[in-house]
Amino acid sequence: MRPWKRGKPMPFNIGYGELILLAAVALLLFGPRRLPEIGKAIGEGMASFKKAVNAGIEAPLPPPREPTSRPVSDSLGDPPGQKESIP
């Protein structure tokens, strides 16, 4: 952020000149007919993403699982074809 500028900084540290340049390049690449369609698609995508994120935050968490009573070594068992060798 430049110290002599007032107000809030632009997102991604982009100034007004760069923003106008990006808009001109987008207009040249996509044309005046496709640009509103692209803007609408981007807006709808951002809205659906925000809705999905908010739905994930509001959803309750599942209850915690009960701990198993068996030790881990008993639950795995011996590999097939091998016998325990006790010295």
Side-chain angles (χ1 to χ4, degrees):
M1 187 170 107
R2 297 176 189 114
W4 60 85
K5 287 238 177 190
R6 295 183 191 163
K8 294 195 311 190
M10 296 276 296
F12 306 111
N13 202 16
I14 296 177
Y16 291 108
E18 290 94 351
L19 193 61
I20 292 171
L21 180 66
L22 286 175
V25 169
L27 184 63
L28 288 174
L29 285 176
F30 300 113
R33 292 184 185 165
R34 293 264 329 225
L35 205 55
E37 296 171 8
I38 293 171
K40 182 180 177 183
I42 290 173
E44 289 174 352
M46 289 173 60
S48 67
F49 178 76
K50 184 177 178 181
K51 184 178 177 182
V53 167
N54 287 338
I57 291 173
E58 295 171 0
L61 293 175
R65 288 201 241 167
E66 295 294 322
T68 59
S69 60
R70 299 182 305 182
V72 176
S73 61
D74 289 345
S75 65
L76 294 177
D78 290 331
Q82 291 185 357
K83 299 278 183 184
E84 266 189 51
S85 61
I86 301 175

